[in-house]
Amino acid sequence: MNETVKMTAKDEFLSNFNLLDFSFDEKFSKDIRNTAKSTIDGLQFPTSKVEYWKYTRINKIIKGHYTIVAPENEIEIDLSVPSKNCIVLINGYFSEELSFFNKNEGVEFSSLSDAKKNSSVLQEKFNSLVKKDEIFAQINSAYHQDGAFMHVAKNVQATEPYYILNFVDDSNVMSNPRNFIFVEQSANAKVVLKTINTANTGSFTNMVSEIFVEKNAHFEINKIQDEAEDSFQIATEQVVQADVSTFKINTFTLNGAIVRNNLNIDSLGKNTMTYLNGLYPLKGKQHVDNHTYLLHREPNGESHELYKGILGDSSTGVFNGKVFVHREAQKTNAFQSNANIVMTDNATINSKPELEIYADDVKCSHGSTTGQLDDEALFYLRARGLSKESARAVLVNAFASDVIEQIGVEAVQEEIEKYIDDNYQGIK
């Protein structure tokens, strides 16, 4: 008797990876891949019935027909970045031809594949932060092609930003870039992480970054997501902080059909400072979901979280930020804010800031506001000679300014300001 077994959506999705060959990989990494594959067997893709994914449906992502291929042809890319250090990934693969490095004493900056051979820090700590119950993170652990590696030695002060650029340059491409960053004691560094779709066609980028910020270290990452209008991205940052460390991440989602940001920060040390900022100016039918989870485990920690959305057309924004304060984390100061401007009747925002506190000597607050542009302010500006479009643009610029001001890289600040100006008819 002939029986036909229908493949599940999960089986079909994973079949995209069948032809990938990782025989070249280092043994410790191949062991991690095999463990991740076994873990994936016991996981299912989340549905809207799962609280963590309540407002984001991923059917369009997992039912896509993708290819996983290294680029074969030369591509034209603007690499005019204000840095002497830039790692370029094309479709998830490291491009030696397009990447460039200026060897700085105390900073190792290379492809992930090179670091797997040469870095004892990577060999010891790689994949140690990734959550075992998140299927997309496990898929990345099992099938990542390549990525970026950065190791900043003790007391080193990196004076210029380091760029990590991930380009998609083919149709219907799936890529799994993986980044690993380790900032040692009393070091200071900044990274700009950009994902760009130059093919302007559908794709899926599933990125994972592991970030270690050691005692008294300072690290800032500026993340710019500029996908095509019908492309998808799930980005996961796993961060740990030690005593007296400072970590800042600024996330700017400029384009993409569905973009999900999973930001998980474990504040393991005392007297830590953490800054989470985000701006999502949405249009069309874009859907952007920012999920943040910050754990304060030790005393005297401080965190500031500010996410702002500008929602136009039929776009949808989601913000779910949770701050968890352990019993031992006395004298914690945690502030969380999500503000949104809804520009049209068809735009939607779902906002859920959360605090879970088990310490009794803390200062914690959270808030969410959603509204439209102030009619009185619009009238005031138009009465002084501005057109309706220019008046709206002035108010949008003012609304976004306190997020943009958090950027510690001048070139990135100028880029985001220009984007706001170009898209909302801003005037200086």
Side-chain angles (χ1 to χ4, degrees), residues 22 42 51 64 112 179 195 198 230 247 256 262 275 307 310 346 355 358 372-373 379 381 400:
F22 296 113
E51 182 66 24
L112 186 72
N179 306 309
T195 52
T198 56
D230 56 350
F247 173 74
N262 298 317
Y275 301 90
Y307 277 75
I310 306 164
N346 294 324
L355 296 174
Y358 294 93
Q372 298 176 321
L373 292 177
F379 177 81
L381 291 171

Side-chain angles (χ1 to χ4, degrees), residues 13 15 25 78 106 140 148 182 187 190 261 264 280 351 389 419:
F13 182 85
S15 69
D25 209 354
D78 180 11
N140 182 284
F182 191 90
K190 295 175 183 176
N261 291 303
N264 302 306
Y280 42 102
S351 181
E389 291 76 15
Y419 179 89

Side-chain angles (χ1 to χ4, degrees), residues 75-95:
I75 60 175
E76 295 183 5
I77 293 176
D78 180 11
L79 291 179
S80 55
V81 299
S83 175
K84 297 175 182 176
N85 294 278
C86 180
I87 287 176
V88 177
L89 306 172
I90 309 293
N91 301 344
Y93 290 89
F94 173 66
S95 173

Side-chain angles (χ1 to χ4, degrees), residues 65-284:
H65 297 286
Y66 305 106
T67 59
I68 304 175
V69 292
E72 297 180 354
N73 302 318
E74 292 185 3
I75 60 175
E76 295 183 5
I77 293 176
D78 180 11
L79 291 179
S80 55
V81 299
S83 175
K84 297 175 182 176
N85 294 278
C86 180
I87 287 176
V88 177
L89 306 172
I90 309 293
N91 301 344
Y93 290 89
F94 173 66
S95 173
E96 186 174 2
E97 294 76 17
L98 294 175
S99 302
F100 48 90
F101 309 96
N102 180 36
K103 297 207 174 203
N104 296 321
E105 186 174 351
V107 181
E108 297 176 57
F109 191 57
S110 71
S111 69
L112 186 72
S113 53
D114 283 345
K116 285 181 179 181
K117 302 173 185 176
N118 303 313
S119 171
S120 58
V121 169
L122 179 69
Q123 293 167 11
E124 176 188 352
K125 296 184 178 294
F126 184 66
N127 206 56
S128 60
L129 302 185
V130 174
K131 291 188 174 183
K132 301 297 186 290
D133 59 349
E134 291 190 2
I135 188 169
F136 288 106
Q138 289 298 315
I139 287 172
N140 182 284
S141 293
Y143 301 108
H144 61 274
Q145 299 112 303
D146 212 329
F149 168 81
M150 185 178 190
H151 179 191
V152 187
K154 183 178 179 180
N155 296 323
V156 170
Q157 308 297 301
T159 57
E160 67 172 31
Y162 286 69
Y163 274 70
I164 302 169
L165 306 181
N166 185 77
F167 291 93
V168 174
D169 196 63
D170 286 291
S171 299
N172 300 315
V173 167
M174 183 193 303
S175 61
N176 289 280
R178 181 63 167 262
N179 306 309
F180 181 97
I181 298 170
F182 191 90
V183 186
E184 285 196 28
Q185 180 176 338
S186 301
N188 191 333
K190 295 175 183 176
V191 162
V192 178
L193 174 61
K194 298 180 69 172
T195 52
I196 304 168
N197 190 311
T198 56
N200 293 316
T201 58
S203 65
F204 174 42
T205 300
N206 178 36
M207 178 180 289
V208 172
S209 301
E210 292 182 282
I211 301 170
F212 299 79
V213 188
E214 294 293 275
K215 184 177 180 179
N216 199 38
H218 298 261
F219 181 67
E220 175 182 326
I221 184 167
N222 293 283
K223 185 171 70 169
I224 302 173
Q225 298 164 308
D226 192 6
E227 298 282 356
E229 291 184 0
D230 56 350
S231 292
F232 314 119
Q233 181 178 157
I234 295 177
T236 301
E237 285 86 35
Q238 297 288 154
V239 185
V240 292
Q241 287 185 253
D243 291 349
V244 206
S245 65
T246 300
F247 173 74
K248 177 188 283 190
I249 182 168
N250 303 310
T251 301
F252 301 96
T253 307
L254 307 182
N255 205 354
I258 299 176
V259 178
R260 164 79 174 214
N261 291 303
N262 298 317
L263 177 55
N264 302 306
I265 300 178
D266 200 345
S267 182
L268 296 174
K270 302 178 179 65
N271 299 289
T272 58
M273 292 289 295
T274 309
Y275 301 90
L276 316 180
N277 304 297
L279 181 67
Y280 42 102
L282 309 184
K283 56 186 180 297

Side-chain angles (χ1 to χ4, degrees), residues 253 278-284 286 288 307-313 315-317 338-344 347-349 371 373 392-393 395-401 404 419-420 423-424:
T253 307
L279 181 67
Y280 42 102
L282 309 184
K283 56 186 180 297
Q286 285 180 262
V288 174
Y307 277 75
K308 287 194 169 185
I310 306 164
L311 296 97
D313 300 326
S315 62
T316 303
N338 176 227
N340 301 279
I341 292 179
V342 179
M343 307 283 283
T344 64
T348 304
I349 179 69
L373 292 177
R392 285 162 60 93
L395 295 181
V396 169
N397 275 276
F399 175 76
S401 63
I404 297 174
Y419 179 89
I420 296 296
N423 284 271
Y424 296 96

Side-chain angles (χ1 to χ4, degrees), residues 355-384:
L355 296 174
E356 189 167 343
I357 303 170
Y358 294 93
D360 53 16
D361 185 8
V362 301
K363 291 181 181 179
C364 297
S365 66
H366 63 172
S368 175
T369 59
T370 298
Q372 298 176 321
L373 292 177
D374 190 320
D375 288 337
E376 290 187 9
L378 282 171
F379 177 81
Y380 176 87
L381 291 171
R382 295 196 66 189
R384 276 147 184 80

